[in-house]
Amino acid sequence: MLTFLAKGLLRDRSRSLFPLLTVAIGVTLVVFMDSYLRGATDAMFAATASFVCGHVRVATRAYAKAGADATNELALLGVDSILGELKRDFPDVTWTLRTRFGGLVDVPDSMGETRVQSPAAGMAIDLSPESPERKILRLEQSLASGHLPSAPGEVLLSDDFARRLDVKPGDKLTLVSSTMNGSMATYNFTLSGTVRFGVSAMDRGAVLADINDIQQALDMPDAADAVFGFLPVAGYDDRLASRLAARFNSGRDTTDRYAPVMETMRLASGLGSMFDLIGAATGLIVSIFIVAMAVVLWNAGLMGSLRRYGEVGVRLAIGESKPAVYRSLLAESFLIGLAGSVLGTLAGLGLGYYLQEVGIDISGMMPNATVVIDDVLRARVTPVSVYIGFVPGLLATFVGAAISGLGVFKRQTAMLAKELGS
Amino acid sequence: MENGVVISTDKLVRKFKVGRTELVALKEVSLEFRRGEFAGLVGPSGSGKTTLLNIIGTLDAPSSGTAVVLGERVESLSPVRAASLRSRHIGFIFQTFNLLPVYTAYENVEFPLLLLGMSQSERRKKVTDALEWVGLADRANSRPTQLSGGESQRVAIARAVVKRPELVLADEPTANLDAENSHKILQTMVSLNHDLGTTFLFSTHDEKVIRYLRRKISLIDGRVANDEVRSPNSD
Ligand SMILES: Nc1ncnc2c1ncn2[C@@H]1O[C@H](COP(=O)(O)OP(=O)(O)OP(=O)(O)O)[C@@H](O)[C@H]1O
Ligand SMILES: [Mg+2]
């Protein structure tokens, strides 16, 4: 009997191939959408963490409160001991010092006169060879020319910026800025290399200097804007970040404007509501796909039972019982749902995996982006990807058939002769 | 089944609700059929032929009166028991052939045996025999779309008789066939009736069929108007 049903299933394409393709395509889309959206969110989180505020950030209360308007005046003092404390109390987290600075980059000509000058957005980080920043900012991979700084006074420029200024590794630059206390500061650097991060907002006009040089240049010894902490997890785990922050902040002075406070990326980036929105939108998009797929499959089940009205009638007349017919319809839909969901999940995972490993460059599509977003579309395949399409694909097919198949029980055998007669 | 009686009905009544009123399709029909009969229900359209065949075939139940088919009381049979009785002992032939389109002639004929859980070797023998009886052994692998109407109906006959049922019920089996095919089909059924002793009960108003009947029961307006035993081709 099973072979008999299997033969029917395989020969009747509108019973096997078409529903199978419908399930497979639906499941593929759900799986792919899910891993793509996950990847896109991850990329945004990663870029935000690397360039804006870490997964958690320790800064003064005043600096935290000022948000994007914060200046070096509000920097954290005594950072070496704070850093030591953090490393001791939270050994799993990677801690780094960061200072943002603004100013003019001045390029002298051979006579020492200004050849070209341009405003720059600077980021001071630990550029030493053993620094974790090399990994966090993917400096090696991002290097476009020259070499990474190996001596004091060496800086990196974003490659586009260096081109605009027409400078090459080895050239001298002067930074004109202001000290922590507001007086004018100049400092001479040597360009060691150029970098391209693939993050449009960073690639347009950034200077990357060593934190020690900047402490000297801006007269802020043992001070930095903030300490960034990077959690050892993929993506961003807000619950973990919140726990760390609560632990660090407990029992600390809340009246002193200059006392350190730890904030999560959610808070520190000011993007909390955007994160929520993205999370909700992702959920919504995936749900819509799942519902649409379920409706389509459901309908396919209904169509199937209409089309097979005659066949079911003959089988009942010949003496197959209604429960037996119903069971065979369920078994068929289960097989179709299973095969389609397996195929769809594999295809979706394949696409997602391709995007995860290779990616698609979209930098051309957003030349003026100010949000720090990776220029390469990525996906992230997670264990969730395995069932997010599979389960609804299988269920929708099966439940669709289970409900439409109930029609079998409504068939009046007394009507069969009439139905089969014409 | 005492005295070889396979079907007996006693004051069988079947009423249908049509809107507010009631339509009485069968009015106290009392009939008896013995093993090996080749009988037909004839009568004008709406006279109750199909209704009676349905009850005898356990597809429907009487409103009152009794119908005993192969020792089972139709009115008290559960749907699953009725299905089991049909699958074991009753073969149906319909006006349209109702072969399952995705299966070959062989597989269509095999289907009732699968329901009975017969072994592969037993099935092979019976299906081959049945196809031979209807003269279609060489078309075993054809699909219904590749068969003519006459051939399709012969496959349907093979499907009805393959399990050697006690009873074959045929509701207007020739209505969609031309004269030549009708005769072929009837000859096939006559010889099966003769060789296997199967009881055949037809519903028809086709003169070609009536000529082959050995018993002709005329229904008029739900009543048995006439019940005559005759020698075939007598008129
Ligand atoms: N399910 C039903 N509901 C209501 N009335 C019905 C039903 N089935 C049959 N009837 C009525 O019962 C009467 C007998 O119908 P039946 O189908 O038995 O006639 P018949 O002799 O087979 O006719 P035909 O030669 O046209 O096939 C008709 O008046 C028909 O309208
Ligand atoms: Mg009829």
Side-chain angles (χ1 to χ4, degrees):
Chain A
M1 194 70 194
L2 279 179
T3 357
F4 187 80
L5 291 173
K7 267 185 217 158
L9 200 57
L10 290 179
R11 286 183 200 160
D12 186 355
R13 285 207 205 154
S14 56
R15 217 197 290 177
S16 51
L17 186 65
F18 302 136
L20 188 115
L21 284 180
T22 319
V23 183
I25 291 170
V27 171
T28 305
L29 285 176
V30 169
V31 172
F32 176 71
M33 272 317 259
D34 179 67
S35 55
Y36 163 67
L37 289 171
R38 224 173 265 280
T41 318
D42 277 6
M44 205 185 73
F45 284 171
T48 306
S50 306
F51 297 107
V52 180
C53 58
H55 292 134
V56 289
R57 182 189 68 186
V58 178
T60 62
R61 295 192 162 275
Y63 187 93
K65 203 166 160 219
D69 303 327
T71 60
N72 301 129
E73 282 168 59
L74 306 176
L76 200 57
L77 303 178
V79 287
D80 285 347
S81 81
I82 292 175
L83 194 60
E85 184 193 336
L86 287 167
K87 282 180 176 165
R88 188 192 66 221
D89 293 349
F90 306 95
D92 295 340
V93 182
T94 306
W95 299 102
T96 66
L97 295 179
R98 295 280 182 105
T99 296
R100 282 186 306 175
F101 58 90
L104 292 174
V105 170
D106 184 292
V107 183
D109 61 15
S110 53
M111 311 294 290
E113 301 291 322
T114 295
R115 173 167 67 77
V116 54
Q117 227 179 30
S118 171
M123 200 161 82
I125 62 173
D126 178 2
L127 277 172
S128 65
E130 63 281 3
S131 161
E133 298 283 24
R134 297 207 164 200
K135 240 184 91 193
I136 292 168
L137 295 172
R138 297 165 52 87
L139 290 179
E140 262 101 6
Q141 293 95 317
S142 305
L143 195 66
S145 68
H147 60 87
L148 295 181
S150 53
E154 288 190 326
V155 288
L156 295 169
L157 287 188
S158 66
D159 197 55
D160 290 355
F161 192 39
R163 271 173 218 280
R164 254 191 291 130
L165 297 176
D166 192 23
V167 288
K168 290 185 185 52
D171 288 356
K172 302 263 184 254
L173 310 166
T174 305
L175 173 70
V176 184
S177 185
S178 58
T179 68
M180 201 177 155
N181 307 312
S183 45
M184 168 143 157
T186 59
Y187 200 81
N188 295 323
F189 289 106
T190 308
L191 183 64
S192 78
T194 63
V195 283
R196 202 179 292 130
F197 289 116
V199 172
S200 303
M202 285 302 296
D203 284 340
R204 256 175 277 129
V207 183
L208 238 67
D210 186 75
I211 188 93
N212 290 316
D213 291 341
I214 292 300
Q215 281 176 342
Q216 262 186 35
L218 306 187
D219 191 20
M220 45 194 297
D222 199 17
D225 279 2
V227 188
F228 285 11
F230 295 89
L231 304 176
V233 289
Y236 168 63
D237 184 345
D238 193 54
R239 293 238 306 276
L240 182 55
S242 303
R243 271 210 304 279
L244 292 190
R247 211 176 112 203
F248 179 86
N249 295 333
S250 77
R252 260 176 221 276
D253 188 349
T254 54
T255 51
D256 182 359
R257 293 183 71 220
Y258 295 98
V261 62
M262 187 186 289
E263 284 189 326
T264 61
M265 174 164 94
R266 225 190 111 81
L267 279 175
S269 66
L271 295 175
S273 49
M274 186 161 158
F275 288 1
D276 292 345
L277 199 68
I278 289 171
T282 305
L284 192 69
I285 291 172
V286 172
S287 312
I288 287 173
F289 262 86
I290 290 175
V291 169
M293 176 176 80
V295 168
V296 169
L297 294 178
W298 190 291
N299 255 302
L302 283 174
M303 301 280 289
S305 63
L306 278 183
R307 244 176 31 78
R308 297 174 67 186
Y309 200 76
E311 178 202 328
V312 167
V314 176
R315 287 166 61 176
L316 290 176
I318 288 178
E320 195 170 0
S321 70
K322 286 176 177 178
V325 174
Y326 185 62
R327 276 197 302 273
S328 79
L329 293 179
L330 288 191
E332 280 185 21
S333 74
F334 183 79
L335 282 180
I336 295 289
L338 188 69
S341 300
V342 166
L343 281 178
T345 300
L346 287 179
L349 288 177
L351 284 172
Y353 195 70
Y354 174 82
L355 218 54
Q356 173 175 310
E357 295 303 310
V358 183
I360 298 173
D361 193 335
I362 53 158
S363 53
M365 285 154 71
M366 39 181 225
N368 296 312
T370 49
V371 182
V372 266
I373 284 188
D374 209 312
D375 283 347
V376 178
L377 279 188
R378 295 264 174 204
R380 176 154 63 102
V381 176
T382 64
V384 175
S385 319
V386 176
Y387 61 78
I388 193 154
F390 186 87
V391 172
L394 183 55
L395 275 188
T397 318
F398 189 72
V399 173
I403 291 180
S404 59
L406 285 177
V408 169
F409 291 102
K410 298 213 191 82
R411 285 294 278 276
Q412 288 183 325
T413 47
M415 301 304 292
L416 290 179
K418 287 203 169 58
E419 289 162 1
L420 300 176
S422 46
Chain B
M1 277 146 274
E2 67 224 69
N3 319 321
V5 175
V6 284
I7 303 164
S8 76
T9 70
D10 187 29
K11 296 195 173 141
L12 196 68
V13 174
R14 180 63 167 108
K15 296 175 186 164
F16 291 108
K17 276 219 164 57
V18 181
R20 290 254 199 83
T21 58
E22 221 170 40
L23 188 149
V24 187
L26 293 176
K27 297 167 183 161
E28 305 207 336
V29 174
S30 301
L31 286 168
E32 216 174 65
F33 296 90
R34 285 164 184 279
R35 188 159 194 285
E37 284 203 49
F38 201 80
L41 305 171
V42 301
S45 184
S47 57
K49 304 182 293 292
T50 299
T51 306
L52 183 54
L53 276 191
N54 268 341
I55 293 174
I56 291 171
T58 76
L59 293 171
D60 194 8
S63 309
S64 70
T66 59
V68 179
V69 175
L70 302 166
E72 303 270 8
R73 294 179 76 102
V74 176
E75 60 272 23
S76 53
L77 220 48
S78 75
V80 172
R81 295 256 314 164
S84 155
L85 182 70
R86 289 200 296 279
S87 91
R88 281 179 294 130
H89 299 304
I90 304 174
F92 285 92
I93 298 166
F94 302 102
Q95 178 176 333
T96 50
F97 329 121
N98 283 298
L99 300 179
L100 304 179
V102 295
Y103 296 103
T104 63
Y106 182 96
E107 288 160 348
N108 267 281
V109 177
E110 188 186 23
F111 181 68
L113 304 182
L114 285 165
L115 285 185
L116 293 174
M118 236 172 241
S119 76
Q120 157 114 38
S121 56
E122 211 177 340
R123 291 198 311 261
R124 180 174 301 281
K125 177 156 184 0
K126 295 206 165 178
V127 174
T128 314
D129 285 351
L131 285 171
E132 252 159 39
W133 295 333
V134 298
L136 285 175
D138 55 334
R139 305 300 306 271
N141 292 319
S142 304
R143 296 279 184 87
T145 46
Q146 300 163 329
L147 298 172
S148 73
E151 287 165 340
S152 294
Q153 192 61 307
R154 273 146 68 198
V155 173
I157 292 170
R159 180 175 67 184
V161 299
V162 67
K163 62 196 176 196
R164 314 258 179 124
E166 294 283 344
L167 186 58
V168 171
L169 302 175
D171 196 356
E172 320 241 8
T174 56
N176 286 332
L177 297 179
D178 59 23
E180 195 193 331
N181 272 308
S182 298
H183 282 298
K184 268 196 195 157
I185 297 264
L186 281 154
Q187 276 153 9
T188 308
M189 292 200 271
V190 166
S191 62
L192 287 170
N193 168 255
H194 184 262
D195 298 347
L196 306 175
T198 311
T199 310
F200 278 81
L201 181 56
F202 295 86
S203 120
T204 188
H205 32 221
D206 181 353
E207 276 308 318
K208 299 187 292 297
V209 177
I210 294 171
R211 281 174 51 199
Y212 285 85
L213 297 177
R214 290 205 306 277
R215 179 178 173 190
K216 176 176 147 189
I217 296 153
S218 305
L219 287 183
I220 292 174
D221 198 18
R223 279 183 213 283
V224 178
N226 190 25
D227 185 350
E228 57 176 309
V229 175
R230 47 212 288 283
S231 51
N233 299 322
S234 62
D235 39 15

